[in-house]
Amino acid sequence: FETYVKGRKQQAIPTDEVCENCASPMVIKLGRFGQFLACSNYPECKTTREVAKPGAPDGASAGADGGGESVEETCELCSKPMAMKRGRFGPFLGCTGYPECKNIRRVSKKTGAVAPAPVPIEGETCPVDGAGLVRRHGPYGEFVSCANYPACKYIKRETTGVMCTRAGCRGEIVVKKSKRGKYFYGCSEYPKCDAVFWDKPVAEPCPKCNSPFVLEKTTKKGTTRSCAREECDYKEEVHPTGAPTMAPMGGRDAARDAL
Ligand SMILES: [Zn+2]
Ligand SMILES: [Zn+2]
Ligand SMILES: [Zn+2]
Ligand SMILES: [Zn+2]
Ligand SMILES: [Zn+2]
């Protein structure tokens, strides 16, 4: 029997590497940029990998760790070593304890730098599964999430401690950042609820209408508080704490001290 596929000029050299996506053997093919490893299950499976660099001591059989290059990072969740893997969105570090442990860490496509390990936050737990919370470095800045991310999707947001007052909404007013980098305050139930404030909500009832919170605005001139309800005209200048508004009666006090 003919075992070759006729018309396929490309030569495929079998290897003992295994495809990390479909577990088929990988073969060495010759491409425009030189040799590369490809899944023998092509075109159903399009996995490709770089061929191990020549010159390196070929311990291929020792590296049978699930198809990842070993790196010097350990998983902060289960203490197993992390391995460099290639996903649809580029390289990443994955825990070798996968699938029991789904911990991953981002790798910068440009520099190849591994994102710093998440920093555990003491005394805070995930309200979903009770695991610890960690501070992570994401592509859009730091954020706090469950240590079990991505298995648990809980992400903690900076909250103002003010509950949304829209009827039927059980959200909380959280600190948000606009695309232009400006901070504002919006409902955690967004997009279900679109309550939004540009001034900081403070969990103190309005002295005029007893609405559960007031808005605080700080400018160079000072801090003013106003009611979030349009119907209410409460507006007041607030003075920095520690400087109570007192009539100038220092004279009498001074006189008493002198006695
Ligand atoms: Zn494959
Ligand atoms: Zn792990
Ligand atoms: Zn969680
Ligand atoms: Zn709301
Ligand atoms: Zn009010």
Side-chain angles (χ1 to χ4, degrees), residues 75-82 95-98 101-103:
C75 174
E76 68 276 10
L77 302 183
C78 70
S79 313
K80 288 201 173 83
M82 302 286 277
C95 179
T96 55
Y98 183 87
C101 176
K102 295 189 175 59
N103 188 27

Side-chain angles (χ1 to χ4, degrees), residues 19 21-24 39 41 45 47:
C19 172
N21 293 324
C22 72
S24 300
C39 179
N41 203 13
C45 174
T47 304

Side-chain angles (χ1 to χ4, degrees), residues 59-199:
S61 53
D65 57 2
E69 297 162 41
S70 47
V71 288
E72 275 177 28
E73 301 273 341
T74 45
C75 174
E76 68 276 10
L77 302 183
C78 70
S79 313
K80 288 201 173 83
M82 302 286 277
M84 187 69 80
K85 298 188 178 187
R86 255 160 242 275
R88 272 198 296 156
F89 306 107
F92 65 94
L93 279 191
C95 179
T96 55
Y98 183 87
E100 285 80 41
C101 176
K102 295 189 175 59
N103 188 27
I104 57 163
R105 234 183 277 167
R106 272 171 225 279
V107 176
S108 162
K109 257 189 208 170
K110 275 185 204 154
T111 63
V114 177
V119 184
I121 297 172
E122 271 179 51
E124 293 210 48
T125 52
C126 171
V128 180
D129 57 9
L133 294 186
V134 292
R135 188 176 299 278
R136 289 176 195 275
H137 299 261
Y140 306 109
E142 287 191 356
F143 66 103
V144 173
S145 80
C146 178
N148 283 337
Y149 178 88
C152 172
K153 299 236 165 9
Y154 174 74
I155 289 178
K156 190 191 169 181
R157 286 191 262 200
E158 251 189 275
T159 141
T160 59
V162 169
M163 301 308 288
C164 181
T165 49
R166 291 266 175 104
C169 180
R170 297 175 66 187
E172 205 176 335
I173 306 301
V174 297
V175 183
K176 299 189 177 191
K177 206 174 179 182
S178 75
K179 281 190 190 129
R180 289 180 178 177
K182 193 169 163 38
Y183 287 99
F184 66 100
Y185 306 88
C187 182
S188 59
E189 293 295 292
Y190 181 86
K192 268 197 282 175
C193 171
D194 61 0
V196 47
F197 309 98
W198 290 101
D199 300 328

Side-chain angles (χ1 to χ4, degrees), residues 193-210:
C193 171
D194 61 0
V196 47
F197 309 98
W198 290 101
D199 300 328
K200 188 186 174 193
V202 178
E204 272 179 41
C206 169
K208 226 172 187 178
C209 73
N210 215 25

Side-chain angles (χ1 to χ4, degrees), residues 7-67:
R8 187 176 278 192
K9 284 179 206 141
Q10 212 172 34
Q11 177 191 16
I13 306 160
T15 68
D16 35 335
E17 299 273 332
V18 174
C19 172
E20 66 263 38
N21 293 324
C22 72
S24 300
M26 301 288 280
V27 294
I28 292 176
K29 290 187 176 180
L30 196 63
R32 274 200 294 159
F33 306 106
Q35 288 189 332
F36 65 99
L37 277 176
C39 179
S40 60
N41 203 13
Y42 182 87
E44 278 81 58
C45 174
K46 295 191 172 56
T47 304
T48 59
R49 235 189 279 163
E50 276 170 43
V51 179
K53 285 180 188 75
D58 202 0
S61 53
D65 57 2

